[in-house]
Amino acid sequence: MATSEALLVGRERDLAVKLVGGFAALVALAMVAAVVADPVDAPVASVLTERVVPLLVFYAPAPVAALGAYARCGGPACLAVGIVPAVVFAVLVAVGTLVGVPNVGGGDALLGSLTVGFALVGVSGAFLGYCVGVAAAMAADLLGIGSDDSEA
């Protein structure tokens, strides 16, 4: 498979699924932990809500997408990484509202606009990371670093 096709479509399907699924699990775990730790006033709650969750939601999609692009996971998988925080947030709020978890859901925040905002930030970061990863993969191929000859 040609390098450009591997970078656009993806050659490593299993790795792409692990990349997106693992990132989704990490974001979900951090968000659920923040929701659970907040009402009991656990000392870790402020660290989760002020540092870990924003890091995963706003900053992590770019480097994760760059790693995915460099590993030839493909554009769709790398851009899906950007949508993951928005989907996890929407599911958490919907389930929390249905179950009746305190401080989750309610009528104060518009779920749609927040979800779209998270998605726009995540996808734009993931796109930037994807472009950086593609550039790094192409530069590595040009320099002969880490390339395998089984592509032909």
Side-chain angles (χ1 to χ4, degrees):
M1 179 180 291
T3 299
S4 59
E5 186 178 349
L7 290 170
L8 289 174
V9 179
R11 179 179 13 172
E12 302 292 333
R13 304 255 187 247
D14 292 338
L15 185 60
V17 169
K18 289 177 186 175
L19 179 82
V20 176
F23 185 64
L26 185 64
V27 170
L29 180 67
M31 284 187 177
V32 168
V35 168
V36 169
D38 191 41
V40 296
D41 290 331
V44 75
S46 65
V47 173
L48 284 169
T49 57
E50 294 174 9
R51 298 214 173 118
V52 174
V53 171
L55 176 77
L56 290 173
V57 170
F58 298 117
Y59 302 113
V64 171
L67 288 173
Y70 187 78
R72 313 285 197 286
C73 290
C78 293
L79 293 179
V81 166
I83 296 173
V84 162
V87 171
V88 169
F89 171 75
V91 168
L92 181 66
V93 169
V95 169
T97 302
L98 290 174
V99 174
V101 176
N103 298 329
V104 175
D108 296 334
L110 297 174
L111 177 61
S113 63
L114 283 175
T115 303
V116 169
F118 282 168
L120 288 174
V121 169
V123 169
S124 60
F127 179 72
L128 178 64
Y130 172 72
C131 292
V132 169
V134 166
M138 294 180 99
D141 283 351
L142 283 174
L143 296 173
I145 301 170
S147 64
D148 56 351
D149 294 332
S150 63
E151 291 182 14

